[in-house]
Amino acid sequence: MTDSAAGKPTLEQQLFDQWPDGLRALFDGTSLVSKIGFTASLLTTDTIGHLRTSLLGIGELYAPDSRSLCIALWPQARCARALAQNRRAALTFVFDDAFYQVQLEFVPLPVDDDARDASAGLVCFRGSIDMGEAQRVRYARLTSGITFALEEGKDATLERWMQQIDYLKRAAGRSS
């Protein structure tokens, strides 16, 4: 894409195979209150080729290292079933004025029977980054993607998120 007036490219692309520092900090499992509203879209393909999407909040995403992302999904979610079958997904989101798409290959995380209450029945996966891409254009700044506001039960949701992140941290530690 070019700016016709100046003839200069306007699309800036950044490729990566490990989390840039800002994203690593976003997915580090800390300061969840300040990250409320962030939403990522997890795209999978089911066995008959249909695309499935799950919207994930910051309390369902944890990067244990620079090349991985652990996620927590409800077991009845179509994305959870699709991910268990074909193990590949793309995570898309807006962050720092850019559109991100990260291709990941997932494996299920082992279930910890001692911490089953903390998991709230979620199924968890660990994804390895295959390739990530950030896109920006000079003439427009992305200010948000899909975002949300917590309404009723905000404190209970934050508490659940903290428990989920703790569970993901323990599960990620067992799978290393």
Side-chain angles (χ1 to χ4, degrees), residues 42 62 69-73 79-85 87 106-109 123-127 168:
L42 184 70
Y62 168 65
L69 181 70
C70 296
I71 61 170
L73 298 169
C79 271
R81 291 190 304 271
L83 205 51
Q85 293 167 347
R87 308 274 173 101
F106 286 91
V107 295
L109 285 172
V123 292
C124 301
F125 296 88
R126 183 184 192 126
L168 281 172

Side-chain angles (χ1 to χ4, degrees), residues 7 9 14 29 42 69 79 88 98 102 107 109 112 123 139 141 143 150 158 161:
Q14 172 193 4
L42 184 70
L69 181 70
C79 271
R88 297 207 45 88
V102 184
V107 295
L109 285 172
D112 179 2
V123 292
Y139 59 85
R141 188 171 54 88
T143 58
L150 291 176
L158 283 170
W161 281 0

Side-chain angles (χ1 to χ4, degrees), residues 37-67:
F38 173 84
T39 307
S41 178
L42 184 70
L43 301 148
T44 58
T45 305
D46 66 17
T47 56
I48 57 174
H50 291 153
L51 293 175
R52 300 296 180 198
T53 303
S54 283
L55 298 178
L56 303 176
I58 201 65
E60 298 154 324
L61 303 161
Y62 168 65
D65 58 54
S66 64
R67 296 184 181 268

Side-chain angles (χ1 to χ4, degrees), residues 55-134:
L55 298 178
L56 303 176
I58 201 65
E60 298 154 324
L61 303 161
Y62 168 65
D65 58 54
S66 64
R67 296 184 181 268
S68 300
L69 181 70
C70 296
I71 61 170
L73 298 169
W74 296 108
Q76 66 273 22
R78 294 180 294 185
C79 271
R81 291 190 304 271
L83 205 51
Q85 293 167 347
N86 67 25
R87 308 274 173 101
R88 297 207 45 88
L91 189 74
T92 64
F93 53 91
V94 171
F95 178 74
D96 194 26
D97 302 335
F99 173 75
Y100 284 84
Q101 184 175 70
V102 184
Q103 303 289 326
L104 299 131
E105 186 167 347
F106 286 91
V107 295
L109 285 172
V111 175
D112 179 2
D113 290 330
D114 295 332
R116 193 171 294 277
D117 289 343
S119 75
L122 298 169
V123 292
C124 301
F125 296 88
R126 183 184 192 126
S128 298
I129 298 174
D130 181 30
M131 184 196 73
E133 180 178 16

